[in-house]
Amino acid sequence: MSNDLSPVPAEPDLVALVGSRLCHDLISPLGAIGNGVELISMTGAAGGPEIEMIAQSVAAANARIRFFRLAFGRATDQPVGRGEIVSMLGEYGRDGRTRYLWQPEGEQPRRLVKLALLAVLCIEPALPRGGEIRVSTAEGRWTVRGEARQTRNDPGLWAHFDDNGTDALSPAQVQFALLPREARAAGRSVGWALDDTSAEIRF
């Protein structure tokens, strides 16, 4: 019988690796479509609302993939620049009813940016008619706060942050399971509050 007590290597985060792989493989063809549309516009061979619609759709898809790559991809301590995040959020919310504000200054560890963006995805369903979502930091703690005229209160869904959620999650709600798991991996806990006009997540 073997007496080898060497530590078992940590299993890779397959969810994050799949997310990174999908986003990586989709970015290139979307970029090629965008470049093709730009070339067509420059040559004057075609134009009009159809080309504009394609260009807008490609830009929106690129923004969502950049967002999802940070939110669902592999988290590291590699820094992410503020300009990159602000630009991505600007494109992500360009055609929607929700405004996204990123207040932290300077570069931030990718692991914490991932938590913030997962929190943004959790708050979005609470603002069905749009509103404003603001990310801020103070004394090492992060706050993601959404404000609207009326929020949607779904306590069964938000209870997943307290490890006692009973609602089955749909693919569109997977962030409610991922955020507390990723927060624990980063040595943080998730706090939350939800009322008639605001939704807030802290970690």
Side-chain angles (χ1 to χ4, degrees), residues 43-61:
T43 60
E50 297 85 359
I51 292 295
E52 182 65 23
M53 183 180 298
I54 294 172
Q56 290 176 355
S57 297
V58 170

Side-chain angles (χ1 to χ4, degrees), residues 7 22 71 112 169:
L22 289 173
L112 296 181
L169 296 176

